[in-house]
């Protein structure tokens, strides 16, 4: 905690100062601007540096652990945006309940797609094997 605290204090001070000033200028969105300023000014470099120094985590491995899932998430969001433009989830006609059910189905498919992507791309093989064994054990115990 002693090593984390200096960065946290500086980030909070920047966040608070920028939040107050930007809220006066931009309204409620100013708090988000303050949070972003605190993150960019301190947290984005301080904590990775701390991890590298204290736990001997190579900077390249840390960057891959952050940017590979981020790149996959951005690509997946782009695919979802494309699909939403090409095939809108609901029409303007029909019963309101069916429009809501259509939207719910699209959202469910998007969430399920993310889980499948995360299962095969983000989770290491050992973790997938462990979770598969746990699920099989749950269903095997009931049989």
């Amino acid at each position: 905690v002693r090593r984390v605290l200096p960065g946290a204090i500086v980030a909070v001070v920047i966040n608070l100062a920028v939040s107050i000033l930007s809220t006066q200028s931009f309204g409620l969105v100013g708090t988000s601007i303050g949070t972003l300023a605190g993150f960019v000014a301190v947290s984005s470099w301080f904590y990775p540096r701390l991890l590298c120094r204290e736990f001997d985590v190579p900077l390249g491995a840390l960057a891959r652990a952050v940017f590979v899932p981020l790149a996959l998430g951005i690509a997946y969001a782009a695919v979802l945006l494309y699909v939403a433009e090409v095939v809108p989830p609901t029409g303007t006609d029909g019963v309101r309940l069916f429009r809501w059910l259509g939207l719910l189905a699209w959202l469910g498919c998007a969430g399920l797609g993310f889980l499948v992507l995360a299962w095969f791309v983000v989770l290491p093989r050992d973790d997938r094997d462990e979770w598969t064994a746990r699920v099989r054990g749950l269903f095997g115990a009931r049989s």
Side-chain angles (χ1 to χ4, degrees):
V1 172
R2 185 177 329 119
R3 293 180 181 118
V4 172
L5 201 56
I9 290 173
V10 173
V12 165
V13 168
I14 291 172
N15 183 348
L16 188 61
V18 173
S19 290
I20 290 171
L21 294 173
S22 60
T23 300
Q24 291 173 347
S25 300
F26 302 111
L28 191 57
V29 74
T31 57
S32 297
I33 295 170
T35 301
L36 180 65
F39 175 77
V40 170
V42 179
S43 301
S44 63
W45 61 268
F46 179 79
Y47 294 116
R49 187 173 146 239
L50 188 65
L51 281 170
C52 290
R53 188 178 65 223
E54 297 299 323
F55 297 108
D56 292 326
V57 176
L59 190 57
L62 187 59
R64 279 190 304 279
V66 171
F67 290 115
V68 168
L70 179 64
L72 289 171
I74 290 171
Y76 186 67
V79 168
L80 287 179
L81 286 172
Y82 175 75
V83 169
E85 287 296 320
V86 172
V87 185
T90 59
T92 56
D93 57 346
V95 180
R96 182 181 225 173
L97 175 65
F98 291 118
R99 289 189 314 217
W100 279 105
L101 290 174
L103 179 62
L104 181 64
W106 276 98
L107 292 173
C109 287
L112 184 63
F114 172 77
L115 289 175
V116 168
L117 181 66
W119 178 262
F120 288 108
V121 178
V122 177
L123 280 179
R125 164 73 76 192
D126 294 341
D127 290 349
R128 289 195 310 260
D129 292 343
E130 179 182 341
W131 279 102
T132 302
R134 286 183 183 193
V135 170
R136 284 185 181 154
L138 287 175
F139 289 112
R142 291 182 183 175
S143 304

